[in-house]
Amino acid sequence: MDFSTKKLRSSSKYLFSFFMIFFIGCCKSNAQSTQNATIDPSEVRTMKSIFQQWNMPVDWELCTSDSDSQSSDSDFIFDRDIAESAISCDCSFNNNTLCHITRLKVFTMNIQGVILKELLDLPYLTFLKLDRNFFSGPLPAFVGNMSRLRFLSIANNLFSGPIPKEVGNLKELYMLYIDSSGLGGEIPETFAKLENLQTVWASDIALTGKIPDFIGNNWRKLTELRFQGNHFEGPIPSSFANLTSLSTLRIGDIYNGSSSSLDFLRNLKKLNELVLRNVLLTGDLPSFITKFQSLQKLDLSFNNLTGQVPSALFNMSNLKYLFLGNNNLSGTFPSQKSDTLENIDLSYNFLSGDLPSWINSGIQLNLVANNFTSNSSNIRLLQGLECLQRSFPCNRDTPRYASFSIKCGGPQMIADGIMFEAEDRALGTATFNVSSGQKWGVSNVGWFADRQNQQFVKDSDVVVNNTSTPWLYQNSRLSPGSLRYYGLGLENGSYTVHLLFAETSFQDQSTHTWQSLVRRVFDVYIQGTRHLRDFDISKAAGGVEIAVTKSFTVNVTDNHLEIHLFWAGKGTCCVPEHGYYGPSISAINVVPNFKPTVGGMLRNKPKDKSHTTLVVGIAMPVAVMALVLIFAVVYVMRIKEDDDEEVLLGIGSRPNTFSYSELKAATQDFSPSNKLGEGGFGPVFKGTLSDGRVVAVKQLSIASHQGNDQFVTEIATISAVQHRNLVTLHGCCIEGNRRLLVYEYLENKSLDRALFGIHSGYLAPEYAMRGHLTEKADVFSFGVVALEVLSGIPNTDSNLGGDRIYVLEWAWTLHENNQILSVMDPKLVEFDENEALRVVGVALLCTQASPKMRPSMSRVVAMLAGDIEVSSVTSKPGYLTDWDFKDTIGTFMIADTLTPFAASTHNNINNSISKNDNTITVTGAEPMLSPINVTDFEQGR
């Protein structure tokens, strides 16, 4: 634990002690009316035990009284985010002589631990507030036995697993806060019994399935409901029409399932905040919304609403925020607007006509990507709008530029020889801006909910690591919703887009404080295609205050480029304070992957006429000869590079590419000191790219058997697969017979080192035979790992002797003899035989010879989870039966079914094969490693 954490905890304890003293003082004034009432001794012991286990002070004697007034100062302490900890009692028992603890607040104390069962020994507890801590583990089911609970808040913690169904037994509950708590899964059906709920905050947790109908049917007392950043499926239940007491409704980010209409809103006339953002809404925008006179904030953006915008919507007496962007609305602007409506987003619709006279500089108004004409009388008040209409007409078909660089949220500056133009104009809730040369533009939409100070730029004096230009990251552009950058008038062609990020707002997770639980999560789209989903800057960089660059290759076809950073509701909302979320970016650099014909071309310098004729006469022949030689070398190299480039350009989704020299420099010429390990696919080296990124570079040992087209196509396929538990494939290198993969670098190294402290690469047969790298190769590897986990032995270990040297062969032998459970690690004294058989069966399926016979990973997961039956396996894979090793002559052969591999490999082997320590060394060829060791294999064994 570092000094800052210790200091934070120390101050928390002092503050806690202060409140205890304060409460004691309060209780002295109450003592006369309660005749010196005492707290139940068993509850005193319970609290001391809880505080000791949570590493909190225990030097308290009394607590505040709930019996005299429910609207006293103690309510203010409990209900507001001002006190770190507090205890409240009801002293009305036994003629005001006995007190029971009724309310417990442990807030912002950075408690590391679990919810303790001792809480059940506080049977009168009605209020439990444990948010903003570092609690972990599952939410225990016994919470459902705390039957008197009316208020439960566990937000901003590190819990895991589903919500226990037993929580549905808390029938008195009227406030529930579980946002950003780490929980997930479907809302239990038992929650239908929570008919007294008034407030539910459940955003930024992995809630799945459909939003239950019982919410609308049973939770009719609801006044506030927040479901944002979940994994719900549509539609929004029509039963929500029954929630007539709602004043705040926030639902966001439904991607799957059926669409929803707005009919269920018809009777929800008490709404003052309505957010239904990105939830598959369809149909016309209904006029009955204009009758909701309490409405102050309306956000229906990123849906599929059609029709015209009701003019009365602009004249509602209390409406301040109107966000209808990214729909299919049409028509014209109304001629009048109320004075209160000052934040309007209608971008990315199909509005047209003239702009109204009420437009002025004091209004936040975003009309990007509509069909307004440049001759509109008031368009001059929205400078640059003509460039950002649907056709992006500025310099269309007459490009002027082939690159641009933007210092997002900051002044102009130079970094790494690149001039980053200033983008430091004040943006707001609904604004746009176009640079003076109409080279680029920016558009921003959204408000930071629950935040008083709407801050759209982050200024920091921290020194960002992992970069030679830390000053570039001291300003960042922030957005609460949707932030777009545009390249205008670009020459068509292929470009590389570099997006520069660094998280400078939050604490590092290593501090293990509630502030470190913060997560900034957003998506990145380029040219309308999502390239990053649930992108977390600090996670990608390996920590806070560390620079990270994400690079993408994209095509410009209509002379404009769009980069879109989109908040999809995920990530924490209220750390370190309310309204902290959404995209952040430090800089953008866009460069062409071709030789431009516009913008930035170098001019020829005038020749120096002072040279004498003699010098010219001598120099010219030498220069001509040198040029001929240079052109010859360049021509040969160019043919080779063009071939590789043609292959890369020929596929639909081109992967990021690196030159061999770039990777050679990054790894210090593949220095042994940078070697991370070696597997079946080849050695892996740690490297640092020129932009500061630390990567893992894998040299493919046997890739020469595969054609360029197939190799690059498969790389593109694999690079499209992204998951938080999988390392990211940054790109590849293909130059001649050199093929390398560039991965995200992980400090924790590989799985095999965690399991055994050694390295066995798990090479699939199709890669060993033909160099085919597919997703099914990873399925094969998974099967081998599963067998290793079950057996407790590595893939290959000559020290084991007998049949156990090769775990795959041993497992198949046991399977054929109906003794498969003998594969289990003898250290496993107890295990579920059915589950073990299920895992073994899946492992044998995954290690089939043909990729087509292996299941997909989604099917593997379903079989392991028991959702589907494990398919039967009937025959031993060919690679176990077809290898033929002749120990006496020191050569190996392969059966007829594998002759293509034998033939293709023979040309690279100089008839020199030696056997030593159960390995095969091939002279004159790259080493070939296999998941099975072919030593001692005989035909038909």
Side-chain angles (χ1 to χ4, degrees), residues 27 30-45 60-68 88-102 121-124 148:
C27 285
N30 290 327
Q32 295 178 354
S33 62
T34 59
Q35 300 177 3
N36 295 320
T38 59
I39 305 174
D40 188 317
S42 65
E43 295 180 22
V44 172
R45 290 191 297 270
W60 59 278
E61 296 179 5
L62 300 172
C63 56
T64 59
S65 173
D66 276 348
S67 58
D68 292 337
S88 182
C89 298
D90 183 351
C91 296
S92 63
F93 298 89
N94 289 5
N95 294 322
N96 298 330
T97 62
L98 179 65
C99 301
H100 289 294
I101 295 174
T102 56
D121 296 327
L122 303 174
Y124 292 87
R148 294 177 185 260

Short mmCIF file of all heavy atoms in Angstrom, two decimals, residues 27 30-45 60-68 88-102 121-124 148:
data_model
loop_
_atom_site.label_atom_id
_atom_site.label_comp_id
_atom_site.label_asym_id
_atom_site.label_seq_id
_atom_site.Cartn_x
_atom_site.Cartn_y
_atom_site.Cartn_z
N CYS A 27 -26.16 12.30 21.64
CA CYS A 27 -26.89 11.36 22.49
C CYS A 27 -26.99 11.87 23.93
O CYS A 27 -27.92 11.53 24.64
CB CYS A 27 -26.23 10.00 22.46
SG CYS A 27 -26.58 9.13 20.94
N ASN A 30 -30.01 13.66 24.18
CA ASN A 30 -31.15 12.77 24.13
C ASN A 30 -31.28 11.90 25.39
O ASN A 30 -32.29 11.23 25.59
CB ASN A 30 -31.08 11.84 22.91
CG ASN A 30 -31.29 12.61 21.61
OD1 ASN A 30 -32.04 13.57 21.58
ND2 ASN A 30 -30.62 12.16 20.56
N ALA A 31 -30.22 11.89 26.16
CA ALA A 31 -30.18 10.96 27.30
C ALA A 31 -31.29 11.23 28.29
O ALA A 31 -31.83 10.31 28.90
CB ALA A 31 -28.82 11.04 27.98
N GLN A 32 -31.61 12.53 28.46
CA GLN A 32 -32.64 12.84 29.43
C GLN A 32 -33.98 12.23 29.04
O GLN A 32 -34.71 11.70 29.87
CB GLN A 32 -32.77 14.36 29.58
CG GLN A 32 -31.51 15.00 30.18
CD GLN A 32 -31.63 16.49 30.26
OE1 GLN A 32 -32.60 17.08 29.78
NE2 GLN A 32 -30.66 17.13 30.90
N SER A 33 -34.29 12.30 27.72
CA SER A 33 -35.58 11.79 27.28
C SER A 33 -35.59 10.27 27.21
O SER A 33 -36.64 9.65 27.28
CB SER A 33 -35.95 12.38 25.91
OG SER A 33 -34.98 11.99 24.95
N THR A 34 -34.43 9.66 27.06
CA THR A 34 -34.37 8.21 26.96
C THR A 34 -33.92 7.55 28.25
O THR A 34 -33.69 6.35 28.31
CB THR A 34 -33.38 7.80 25.84
OG1 THR A 34 -32.10 8.33 26.16
CG2 THR A 34 -33.85 8.30 24.49
N GLN A 35 -33.77 8.37 29.33
CA GLN A 35 -33.43 7.84 30.65
C GLN A 35 -32.17 6.96 30.60
O GLN A 35 -32.13 5.84 31.08
CB GLN A 35 -34.60 7.03 31.22
CG GLN A 35 -35.87 7.85 31.39
CD GLN A 35 -37.03 7.02 31.90
OE1 GLN A 35 -36.87 5.83 32.17
NE2 GLN A 35 -38.19 7.64 32.05
N ASN A 36 -31.11 7.54 29.94
CA ASN A 36 -29.83 6.84 29.86
C ASN A 36 -29.97 5.45 29.24
O ASN A 36 -29.48 4.46 29.77
CB ASN A 36 -29.19 6.72 31.24
CG ASN A 36 -28.83 8.07 31.82
OD1 ASN A 36 -28.34 8.95 31.08
ND2 ASN A 36 -29.05 8.26 33.11
N ALA A 37 -30.66 5.39 28.13
CA ALA A 37 -30.84 4.12 27.42
C ALA A 37 -29.50 3.58 26.96
O ALA A 37 -28.57 4.33 26.65
CB ALA A 37 -31.77 4.31 26.24
N THR A 38 -29.38 2.28 26.93
CA THR A 38 -28.15 1.63 26.49
C THR A 38 -28.41 0.78 25.25
O THR A 38 -29.53 0.30 25.02
CB THR A 38 -27.59 0.71 27.60
OG1 THR A 38 -28.58 -0.27 27.92
CG2 THR A 38 -27.24 1.52 28.83
N ILE A 39 -27.36 0.61 24.46
CA ILE A 39 -27.47 -0.20 23.25
C ILE A 39 -27.44 -1.67 23.62
O ILE A 39 -26.73 -2.08 24.54
CB ILE A 39 -26.31 0.12 22.29
CG1 ILE A 39 -26.28 1.62 21.99
CG2 ILE A 39 -26.44 -0.67 20.99
CD1 ILE A 39 -25.08 2.05 21.17
N ASP A 40 -28.20 -2.47 22.93
CA ASP A 40 -28.22 -3.92 23.13
C ASP A 40 -26.78 -4.43 23.13
O ASP A 40 -26.06 -4.27 22.14
CB ASP A 40 -29.03 -4.57 22.02
CG ASP A 40 -29.25 -6.06 22.27
OD1 ASP A 40 -28.29 -6.73 22.69
OD2 ASP A 40 -30.37 -6.55 22.01
N PRO A 41 -26.32 -5.05 24.24
CA PRO A 41 -24.91 -5.50 24.33
C PRO A 41 -24.50 -6.44 23.21
O PRO A 41 -23.36 -6.40 22.74
CB PRO A 41 -24.86 -6.20 25.69
CG PRO A 41 -25.98 -5.59 26.47
CD PRO A 41 -27.06 -5.32 25.48
N SER A 42 -25.42 -7.30 22.75
CA SER A 42 -25.06 -8.23 21.68
C SER A 42 -24.78 -7.47 20.38
O SER A 42 -23.90 -7.85 19.60
CB SER A 42 -26.18 -9.25 21.46
OG SER A 42 -27.37 -8.61 20.99
N GLU A 43 -25.49 -6.36 20.16
CA GLU A 43 -25.27 -5.57 18.96
C GLU A 43 -23.96 -4.79 19.05
O GLU A 43 -23.28 -4.55 18.05
CB GLU A 43 -26.45 -4.64 18.71
CG GLU A 43 -27.74 -5.39 18.39
CD GLU A 43 -28.92 -4.46 18.13
OE1 GLU A 43 -28.68 -3.28 17.79
OE2 GLU A 43 -30.07 -4.90 18.27
N VAL A 44 -23.59 -4.40 20.29
CA VAL A 44 -22.30 -3.76 20.50
C VAL A 44 -21.17 -4.71 20.13
O VAL A 44 -20.21 -4.35 19.43
CB VAL A 44 -22.15 -3.28 21.96
CG1 VAL A 44 -20.72 -2.78 22.22
CG2 VAL A 44 -23.17 -2.19 22.27
N ARG A 45 -21.27 -5.95 20.60
CA ARG A 45 -20.25 -6.95 20.26
C ARG A 45 -20.20 -7.19 18.76
O ARG A 45 -19.13 -7.35 18.17
CB ARG A 45 -20.53 -8.26 21.02
CG ARG A 45 -20.31 -8.18 22.52
CD ARG A 45 -20.33 -9.56 23.16
NE ARG A 45 -21.62 -10.21 23.00
CZ ARG A 45 -22.62 -10.08 23.88
NH1 ARG A 45 -22.47 -9.35 24.96
NH2 ARG A 45 -23.77 -10.72 23.68
N TRP A 60 -16.30 3.40 20.04
CA TRP A 60 -17.55 4.15 20.14
C TRP A 60 -18.40 3.54 21.25
O TRP A 60 -18.27 2.36 21.58
CB TRP A 60 -18.32 4.12 18.81
CG TRP A 60 -18.65 2.72 18.38
CD1 TRP A 60 -17.84 1.84 17.74
CD2 TRP A 60 -19.89 2.05 18.58
NE1 TRP A 60 -18.48 0.66 17.52
CE2 TRP A 60 -19.74 0.76 18.02
CE3 TRP A 60 -21.10 2.39 19.17
CZ2 TRP A 60 -20.77 -0.18 18.05
CZ3 TRP A 60 -22.12 1.45 19.18
CH2 TRP A 60 -21.95 0.18 18.62
N GLU A 61 -19.25 4.34 21.84
CA GLU A 61 -20.08 3.86 22.93
C GLU A 61 -21.57 4.04 22.65
O GLU A 61 -22.38 3.23 23.06
CB GLU A 61 -19.73 4.60 24.23
CG GLU A 61 -18.29 4.33 24.68
CD GLU A 61 -17.96 5.10 25.95
OE1 GLU A 61 -18.87 5.75 26.51
OE2 GLU A 61 -16.79 5.06 26.38
N LEU A 62 -21.93 5.16 22.02
CA LEU A 62 -23.32 5.47 21.79
C LEU A 62 -23.55 5.81 20.33
O LEU A 62 -22.60 5.91 19.55
CB LEU A 62 -23.75 6.66 22.67
CG LEU A 62 -23.62 6.46 24.18
CD1 LEU A 62 -23.89 7.77 24.89
CD2 LEU A 62 -24.59 5.39 24.67
N CYS A 63 -24.79 6.00 19.97
CA CYS A 63 -25.09 6.39 18.60
C CYS A 63 -26.26 7.34 18.60
O CYS A 63 -26.94 7.51 19.60
CB CYS A 63 -25.38 5.17 17.73
SG CYS A 63 -26.70 4.12 18.33
N THR A 64 -26.53 7.97 17.46
CA THR A 64 -27.64 8.91 17.38
C THR A 64 -28.95 8.17 17.52
O THR A 64 -29.04 6.97 17.27
CB THR A 64 -27.62 9.65 16.04
OG1 THR A 64 -27.69 8.69 15.00
CG2 THR A 64 -26.35 10.47 15.89
N SER A 65 -29.97 8.89 17.91
CA SER A 65 -31.27 8.28 18.16
C SER A 65 -32.22 8.56 17.02
O SER A 65 -32.34 9.68 16.55
CB SER A 65 -31.87 8.83 19.46
OG SER A 65 -33.19 8.37 19.63
N ASP A 66 -32.90 7.51 16.56
CA ASP A 66 -33.93 7.64 15.53
C ASP A 66 -35.30 7.90 16.13
O ASP A 66 -36.24 8.23 15.43
CB ASP A 66 -34.03 6.35 14.71
CG ASP A 66 -33.00 6.33 13.60
OD1 ASP A 66 -32.40 7.37 13.35
OD2 ASP A 66 -32.83 5.25 12.98
N SER A 67 -35.45 7.73 17.43
CA SER A 67 -36.78 7.68 18.03
C SER A 67 -37.44 9.05 18.13
O SER A 67 -38.66 9.16 18.09
CB SER A 67 -36.72 7.04 19.41
OG SER A 67 -35.83 7.78 20.24
N ASP A 68 -36.63 10.11 18.27
CA ASP A 68 -37.22 11.41 18.51
C ASP A 68 -37.67 12.11 17.23
O ASP A 68 -38.69 12.75 17.19
CB ASP A 68 -36.21 12.32 19.24
CG ASP A 68 -35.97 11.81 20.65
OD1 ASP A 68 -36.85 11.11 21.18
OD2 ASP A 68 -34.90 12.12 21.19
N SER A 88 -26.87 4.80 13.61
CA SER A 88 -28.06 5.40 14.20
C SER A 88 -28.85 4.33 14.93
O SER A 88 -28.86 3.16 14.53
CB SER A 88 -28.92 6.04 13.11
OG SER A 88 -30.06 6.65 13.66
N CYS A 89 -29.51 4.73 16.04
CA CYS A 89 -30.23 3.79 16.88
C CYS A 89 -31.67 4.24 17.12
O CYS A 89 -31.99 5.42 17.03
CB CYS A 89 -29.55 3.65 18.25
SG CYS A 89 -27.88 3.02 18.18
N ASP A 90 -32.50 3.29 17.47
CA ASP A 90 -33.85 3.54 17.95
C ASP A 90 -33.88 3.15 19.43
O ASP A 90 -33.71 1.98 19.78
CB ASP A 90 -34.85 2.71 17.14
CG ASP A 90 -36.29 2.98 17.56
OD1 ASP A 90 -36.51 3.67 18.58
OD2 ASP A 90 -37.20 2.48 16.87
N CYS A 91 -34.09 4.15 20.29
CA CYS A 91 -34.03 3.92 21.74
C CYS A 91 -35.41 3.93 22.39
O CYS A 91 -35.57 4.32 23.55
CB CYS A 91 -33.15 4.99 22.40
SG CYS A 91 -31.43 4.92 21.88
N SER A 92 -36.41 3.51 21.66
CA SER A 92 -37.78 3.53 22.18
C SER A 92 -38.19 2.21 22.81
O SER A 92 -39.34 2.05 23.22
CB SER A 92 -38.75 3.87 21.04
OG SER A 92 -38.71 2.87 20.04
N PHE A 93 -37.26 1.26 22.91
CA PHE A 93 -37.59 -0.06 23.44
C PHE A 93 -37.49 -0.08 24.97
O PHE A 93 -36.69 0.65 25.56
CB PHE A 93 -36.67 -1.12 22.83
CG PHE A 93 -36.78 -1.24 21.33
CD1 PHE A 93 -36.01 -0.46 20.48
CD2 PHE A 93 -37.70 -2.11 20.77
CE1 PHE A 93 -36.13 -0.56 19.11
CE2 PHE A 93 -37.83 -2.22 19.41
CZ PHE A 93 -37.04 -1.44 18.56
N ASN A 94 -38.29 -0.99 25.59
CA ASN A 94 -38.27 -1.18 27.05
C ASN A 94 -38.40 0.16 27.79
O ASN A 94 -37.56 0.53 28.60
CB ASN A 94 -36.99 -1.90 27.49
CG ASN A 94 -36.98 -3.35 27.07
OD1 ASN A 94 -37.87 -3.82 26.37
ND2 ASN A 94 -35.96 -4.06 27.52
N ASN A 95 -39.46 0.90 27.45
CA ASN A 95 -39.70 2.17 28.10
C ASN A 95 -38.52 3.13 27.95
O ASN A 95 -38.07 3.77 28.90
CB ASN A 95 -40.03 1.98 29.59
CG ASN A 95 -41.33 1.24 29.79
OD1 ASN A 95 -42.30 1.45 29.04
ND2 ASN A 95 -41.37 0.38 30.81
N ASN A 96 -38.01 3.18 26.73
CA ASN A 96 -36.91 4.10 26.37
C ASN A 96 -35.62 3.81 27.12
O ASN A 96 -34.80 4.71 27.35
CB ASN A 96 -37.32 5.56 26.61
CG ASN A 96 -38.50 5.99 25.77
OD1 ASN A 96 -38.68 5.49 24.66
ND2 ASN A 96 -39.29 6.92 26.28
N THR A 97 -35.41 2.55 27.47
CA THR A 97 -34.16 2.18 28.16
C THR A 97 -33.24 1.33 27.30
O THR A 97 -32.07 1.12 27.65
CB THR A 97 -34.47 1.39 29.45
OG1 THR A 97 -35.15 0.18 29.12
CG2 THR A 97 -35.32 2.23 30.40
N LEU A 98 -33.72 0.84 26.17
CA LEU A 98 -32.93 -0.05 25.33
C LEU A 98 -32.90 0.49 23.90
O LEU A 98 -33.94 0.87 23.34
CB LEU A 98 -33.52 -1.47 25.33
CG LEU A 98 -32.79 -2.51 24.48
CD1 LEU A 98 -31.38 -2.75 25.03
CD2 LEU A 98 -33.59 -3.81 24.43
N CYS A 99 -31.69 0.51 23.33
CA CYS A 99 -31.50 0.99 21.95
C CYS A 99 -31.11 -0.17 21.04
O CYS A 99 -30.33 -1.05 21.44
CB CYS A 99 -30.40 2.04 21.89
SG CYS A 99 -30.68 3.51 22.90
N HIS A 100 -31.64 -0.15 19.82
CA HIS A 100 -31.22 -1.09 18.78
C HIS A 100 -30.67 -0.30 17.59
O HIS A 100 -31.20 0.76 17.22
CB HIS A 100 -32.39 -1.95 18.31
CG HIS A 100 -32.83 -2.97 19.32
ND1 HIS A 100 -32.03 -4.02 19.71
CD2 HIS A 100 -33.99 -3.09 20.03
CE1 HIS A 100 -32.67 -4.77 20.61
NE2 HIS A 100 -33.87 -4.21 20.82
N ILE A 101 -29.60 -0.83 17.00
CA ILE A 101 -29.00 -0.18 15.84
C ILE A 101 -29.93 -0.33 14.64
O ILE A 101 -30.33 -1.44 14.29
CB ILE A 101 -27.62 -0.78 15.54
CG1 ILE A 101 -26.66 -0.49 16.69
CG2 ILE A 101 -27.06 -0.23 14.23
CD1 ILE A 101 -25.32 -1.16 16.57
N THR A 102 -30.28 0.79 14.03
CA THR A 102 -31.22 0.77 12.90
C THR A 102 -30.60 1.20 11.59
O THR A 102 -31.08 0.83 10.52
CB THR A 102 -32.42 1.68 13.20
OG1 THR A 102 -31.94 3.00 13.49
CG2 THR A 102 -33.23 1.15 14.36
N ASP A 121 -26.88 -10.21 12.77
CA ASP A 121 -27.05 -10.04 14.21
C ASP A 121 -27.46 -8.61 14.57
O ASP A 121 -27.42 -8.23 15.74
CB ASP A 121 -25.76 -10.41 14.94
CG ASP A 121 -25.41 -11.89 14.76
OD1 ASP A 121 -26.35 -12.69 14.66
OD2 ASP A 121 -24.22 -12.21 14.70
N LEU A 122 -27.80 -7.83 13.55
CA LEU A 122 -28.38 -6.51 13.76
C LEU A 122 -29.81 -6.55 13.22
O LEU A 122 -30.12 -6.02 12.16
CB LEU A 122 -27.56 -5.44 13.03
CG LEU A 122 -26.07 -5.35 13.40
CD1 LEU A 122 -25.36 -4.35 12.50
CD2 LEU A 122 -25.90 -4.97 14.87
N PRO A 123 -30.72 -7.21 13.92
CA PRO A 123 -32.03 -7.54 13.37
C PRO A 123 -32.94 -6.34 13.12
O PRO A 123 -33.96 -6.47 12.43
CB PRO A 123 -32.63 -8.47 14.43
CG PRO A 123 -31.95 -8.10 15.69
CD PRO A 123 -30.56 -7.70 15.31
N TYR A 124 -32.59 -5.17 13.68
CA TYR A 124 -33.44 -4.00 13.52
C TYR A 124 -32.91 -3.05 12.43
O TYR A 124 -33.42 -1.94 12.28
CB TYR A 124 -33.56 -3.25 14.85
CG TYR A 124 -34.32 -4.03 15.89
CD1 TYR A 124 -33.67 -4.94 16.72
CD2 TYR A 124 -35.70 -3.87 16.04
CE1 TYR A 124 -34.37 -5.67 17.67
CE2 TYR A 124 -36.41 -4.59 16.99
CZ TYR A 124 -35.73 -5.49 17.80
OH TYR A 124 -36.43 -6.21 18.73
N ARG A 148 -35.89 -6.26 7.59
CA ARG A 148 -36.35 -4.90 7.89
C ARG A 148 -35.73 -3.85 6.97
O ARG A 148 -36.08 -2.67 7.05
CB ARG A 148 -36.03 -4.54 9.34
CG ARG A 148 -36.79 -5.35 10.37
CD ARG A 148 -36.36 -4.96 11.77
NE ARG A 148 -36.98 -5.79 12.78
CZ ARG A 148 -38.04 -5.43 13.51
NH1 ARG A 148 -38.60 -4.25 13.30
NH2 ARG A 148 -38.54 -6.25 14.42
#
